[in-house]
Amino acid sequence: YEYQREAVEYGIQHPSWLLGDVQGLGKTKQMIDLAVWKKKHQGMKHCLIIACVNNLKYNWLDEVKKHSNESACVLGVKKKGREPSMADRLEHLKYGPNEFFWITNIESLRTKKEGRFYKSELVDIINKYIANGDVGMIVVDEIHKCKNSTSAQGRGLLKLKGASRVGLSGTLLVSKPLDLYTPLAFI
């Protein structure tokens, strides 16, 4: 659709932004198309997708297959029907997945307080990939779920440095204006 083309064109020209289309208008497809364009025309190596609703990780896998010829993986390996553990995700990430799209959930970014600072090994590894030019774009799906900048996952999200950033939400303002702080600080 024309509005989807406009969003992709906007994303080409703007490194960080929010896409606030209502549910069902194809935000996922638009991000897949944008990432593929950046790969073909700007040499982007990987796109990180962060799903703020855990089950959407697998929806992203299906949508990537449906709308592109690119490869995708959920960080960690699902074993015997259970979700990958944090150790599984870290192990997978340490060796650099070969797939173009890397998908994880927001809980993976949770920080822990160590002394006076909040740290996350997974965020640190992602930041190294960003600094090396391996991850060129981060998409946060349902970013309105990350409204608390002082939560463990909100702190982790805001610790990501560099790369193009896009927040997706059909309902960005959930209850009060302060809910916009974390999504806007992220982009």
Side-chain angles (χ1 to χ4, degrees):
Y1 294 104
E2 183 60 29
Y3 67 88
Q4 291 172 315
R5 266 185 8 96
E6 287 176 16
V8 172
E9 289 171 2
Y10 187 88
I12 291 167
Q13 298 170 12
H14 298 85
S16 297
W17 55 293
L18 292 171
L19 178 57
D21 289 349
V22 297
Q23 185 178 1
L25 292 184
K27 293 183 290 291
T28 304
K29 180 187 176 0
Q30 291 170 62
M31 290 305 99
I32 293 166
D33 292 348
L34 176 59
V36 170
W37 187 94
K38 287 185 174 217
K39 177 183 182 183
K40 289 180 181 175
H41 298 281
Q42 297 177 344
M44 186 170 75
K45 295 177 185 174
H46 300 283
C47 176
L48 174 66
I49 308 294
I50 301 168
C52 291
V53 176
N54 190 39
N55 289 339
L56 289 180
K57 296 182 303 196
Y58 303 103
N59 182 59
W60 273 93
L61 276 177
D62 294 341
E63 292 294 312
V64 167
K65 288 176 191 169
K66 181 178 178 181
H67 296 294
S68 80
N69 294 321
E70 297 299 331
S71 57
C73 70
V74 171
L75 295 180
V77 178
K78 203 171 186 176
K79 297 176 184 173
K80 296 181 184 174
R82 72 166 176 81
E83 282 292 308
S85 69
M86 193 60 187
D88 295 334
R89 293 177 189 139
L90 286 169
E91 189 70 20
H92 192 189
L93 196 56
K94 282 181 184 175
Y95 294 103
N98 294 321
E99 292 82 4
F100 177 64
F101 287 99
W102 299 353
I103 306 167
T104 193
N105 57 324
I106 190 68
E107 292 84 4
S108 297
L109 304 181
R110 286 184 175 151
T111 58
K112 293 181 182 172
K113 191 165 186 177
E114 294 180 20
R116 294 180 13 209
F117 302 101
Y118 289 88
K119 299 194 178 208
S120 165
E121 188 177 358
L122 189 123
V123 170
D124 291 344
I125 293 170
I126 292 170
N127 277 333
K128 286 179 187 172
Y129 282 118
I130 293 168
N132 292 338
D134 293 319
V135 173
M137 186 165 114
I138 302 169
V139 177
V140 182
D141 193 12
E142 302 292 348
I143 197 167
H144 64 276
K145 300 275 187 185
C146 280
K147 56 189 172 188
N148 185 350
S149 63
T150 62
S151 69
Q153 57 204 33
R155 289 180 197 273
L157 181 66
L158 296 178
K159 283 185 165 292
L160 292 172
K161 304 295 179 200
S164 173
R165 302 151 177 259
V166 184
L168 308 179
S169 176
T171 48
L172 192 56
L173 185 58
V174 181
S175 62
K176 56 188 181 282
L178 190 56
D179 293 348
L180 294 173
Y181 175 79
T182 303
L184 292 176
F186 172 71
I187 62 156

